[in-house]
Amino acid sequence: MGAAAAADIAGALVGCLSRQSSVRMVFAAAPSQAEMLSALVTQPGIEWRRVTAFHMDEYVGVDPAAPARFANWLDAHVFTRLPFAAVHRITPEPDAEAEIARYSSLLNEAPIDLICLGIGVNGHIAFNDPPVADFNDPLDVKIVELDEVCRQQQVDDDCFPDLGSVPHRAITLTVPRLLRAGRLFCVVPGAVKRDAVSKTLHGPLSTNCPASILRNHEACTLYIDRDSDPDA
């Protein structure tokens, strides 16, 4: 699954770079993305020096040096492994509201061509959990409160030792900001995600499963494995 997704993402990158001078893409930080990223960084023929990278969310209140910090996770898995034209990291310190304004401005300098994302156990995309997801959000980037299912997932993913260690807030790209990208590649492995995948594919379009809105995007590809396939 990860190799198939990486091959498709590489093909889309090469295609974009054949038509335009540069590409802007957003990456999700999560263990579910690790296999795909491991394969992507080895794909041949991509002019990474023409690619600008962003990431889609970051905790508020996590030590900048902590491995759980999403920018640090992405540094280890992709940002420092490829010669990007630029990497724009979300840095909540010292002023999260000022960072939201800065990051929104960077995102809006030009279209976002590609996004690599996943789906949370609760159906979230980025950190748009069911209680805070808004399909008509007027903002591009905002601070959100993380629900307990999302926070427990971070423990189950071995990103934090216990629930009390998981932050309650994060900066995230909003649902409309994600949907404005040209291509979405959504990688969702594992049995723990089967219910979320089922609701994404077959449930109502509802913020009860924020990922369900991906069905409205004209160029979103979903990658699942045997464990996450609700129809297997």
Side-chain angles (χ1 to χ4, degrees):
M1 181 206 63
D8 288 351
I9 294 164
L13 278 165
V14 171
C16 284
L17 290 168
S18 72
R19 300 186 298 271
Q20 58 200 57
S21 61
S22 62
V23 165
R24 289 154 52 88
M25 65 186 301
V26 179
F27 293 91
S32 64
Q33 307 300 297
E35 182 179 314
M36 177 274 290
L37 291 174
S38 179
L40 182 61
V41 299
T42 67
Q43 293 289 316
I46 302 171
E47 296 182 69
W48 290 105
R49 289 179 174 82
R50 295 165 57 195
V51 178
T52 295
F54 297 82
H55 64 118
M56 62 179 56
D57 42 22
E58 185 58 90
Y59 296 112
V60 174
V62 170
D63 188 315
R69 180 97 159 202
F70 283 162
N72 295 338
W73 190 94
L74 286 167
D75 278 346
H77 287 83
V78 63
F79 287 167
T80 61
R81 298 181 65 186
L82 296 168
F84 288 104
V87 174
H88 297 301
R89 298 169 178 84
I90 299 172
T91 307
E93 305 82 18
D95 184 339
E97 291 294 343
E99 178 64 356
I100 286 170
R102 184 189 76 90
Y103 214 71
S104 297
S105 178
L106 286 170
L107 288 166
N108 287 319
E109 285 180 353
I112 298 297
D113 300 290
L114 310 175
I115 293 183
C116 303
L117 72 159
I119 296 174
V121 171
N122 63 2
H124 73 220
I125 47 177
F127 265 144
N128 298 284
D129 290 332
V132 299
D134 182 352
F135 292 165
N136 300 298
D137 205 313
L139 302 175
D140 287 338
V141 184
K142 66 180 182 180
I143 294 177
V144 293
E145 294 287 331
L146 306 180
D147 77 3
E148 188 164 323
V149 175
C150 172
R151 293 175 63 242
Q152 182 61 48
Q153 180 184 331
Q154 313 312 313
V155 179
D156 296 340
D157 283 347
D158 295 325
C159 299
F160 293 90
D162 52 60
L163 189 62
S165 303
V166 183
H168 287 264
R169 299 197 304 157
I171 293 174
T172 186
L173 274 63
T174 62
V175 173
R177 176 68 262 189
L178 296 172
L179 294 181
R180 292 209 303 275
R183 292 285 306 274
L184 303 180
F185 297 89
C186 188
V187 178
V188 193
V192 71
K193 303 289 182 70
R194 185 182 298 134
D195 183 61
V197 171
S198 179
K199 291 175 180 176
T200 297
L201 292 174
H202 307 304
L205 292 178
S206 167
T207 55
N208 290 329
C209 177
S212 62
I213 197 65
L214 296 175
R215 301 205 305 263
N216 279 4
H217 194 278
E218 63 182 11
C220 177
T221 306
L222 176 67
Y223 299 85
I224 56 178
D225 60 14
R226 290 186 181 88
D227 291 332
S228 60
D229 183 357
D231 301 316

